[in-house]
């Protein structure tokens, strides 16, 4: 899955009603991915990890706990490509996510749930980029 396909899938699955914690988005993504080839699930997980990794920088998360920082980064991704790109261009656009603790924790498990649905097994997911907070050493370099 390339980056454009990833963002299109996020957009296609975003609900029209309010979804403050991205639970509806995550459920729809899980359902869509579970009906897809396993390679699409793996590709989605890779792109999600890459997006979260790009946001793993000191200018965004210096005052947040590791979990809060991860979940707020997930909320930026859940908001879609336009918002994601804006945050990358202007760190001040991340402030409302951090200040209001806007979280999208459920987005993180969507590919794992889809994998389990397809294979019947738990996924010991390993992606090229770690989405865990503070894993992007270049983003935290002084």
């Amino acid at each position: 899955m390339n980056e454009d396909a990833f963002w299109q899938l996020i957009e296609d699955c975003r609900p029209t009603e309010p979804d403050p914690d991205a639970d509806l988005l995550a459920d729809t993504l899980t359902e869509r991915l579970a009906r897809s080839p396993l390679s699409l699930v793996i590709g989605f997980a890779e792109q999600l990890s890459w997006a979260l990794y790009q946001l793993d920088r000191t200018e965004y998360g210096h005052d947040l706990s590791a979990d809060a920082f991860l979940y707020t980064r997930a909320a930026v991704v859940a908001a879609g490509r336009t918002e994601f790109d804006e945050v990358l261009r202007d760190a001040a656009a991340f402030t409302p996510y951090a200040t209001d603790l806007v979280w999208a924790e459920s987005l993180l498990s969507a590919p794992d749930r889809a994998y389990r649905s397809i294979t019947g097994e738990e996924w010991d997911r390993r992606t090229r980029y770690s989405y865990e907070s503070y894993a992007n050493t270049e983003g935290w370099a002084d």
Side-chain angles (χ1 to χ4, degrees):
M1 172 179 281
N2 67 31
E3 193 172 356
D4 290 332
F6 169 80
W7 288 113
Q8 187 61 56
L9 184 58
I10 294 279
E11 192 59 37
D12 291 348
C13 293
R14 287 184 55 217
T16 55
E17 64 266 21
D19 188 22
D21 296 324
D23 292 335
L24 296 172
L25 171 63
D27 289 345
T28 304
L29 279 166
T30 300
E31 291 170 16
R32 177 82 65 91
L33 290 168
R35 295 189 311 262
S36 302
L38 194 56
S39 61
L40 191 72
V41 175
I42 294 167
F44 180 86
E46 286 291 343
Q47 289 295 330
L48 177 61
S49 295
W50 169 237
L52 294 167
Y53 184 84
Q54 290 177 79
L55 294 170
D56 184 15
R57 305 182 60 80
T58 189
E59 61 262 38
Y60 303 126
H62 56 83
D63 290 331
L64 296 171
S65 72
D67 285 345
F69 185 40
L70 174 58
Y71 305 153
T72 54
R73 287 183 288 134
V76 172
V77 173
R81 188 178 207 165
T82 301
E83 183 69 10
F84 176 82
D85 288 344
E86 177 62 24
V87 168
L88 286 179
R89 276 192 301 278
D90 180 8
F94 187 81
T95 301
Y97 293 91
T99 303
D100 299 336
L101 293 178
V102 179
W103 289 8
E105 178 182 6
S106 58
L107 179 62
L108 303 173
S109 63
D112 302 275
R113 291 171 37 211
Y115 182 94
R116 184 173 45 251
S117 178
I118 293 169
T119 67
E121 299 174 4
E122 295 297 317
W123 187 11
D124 183 24
R125 182 177 10 158
R126 303 250 194 274
T127 52
R128 181 173 178 193
Y129 297 95
S130 173
Y131 65 67
E132 294 298 334
S133 296
Y134 320 120
N136 181 354
T137 54
E138 288 181 22
W140 290 88
D142 290 331

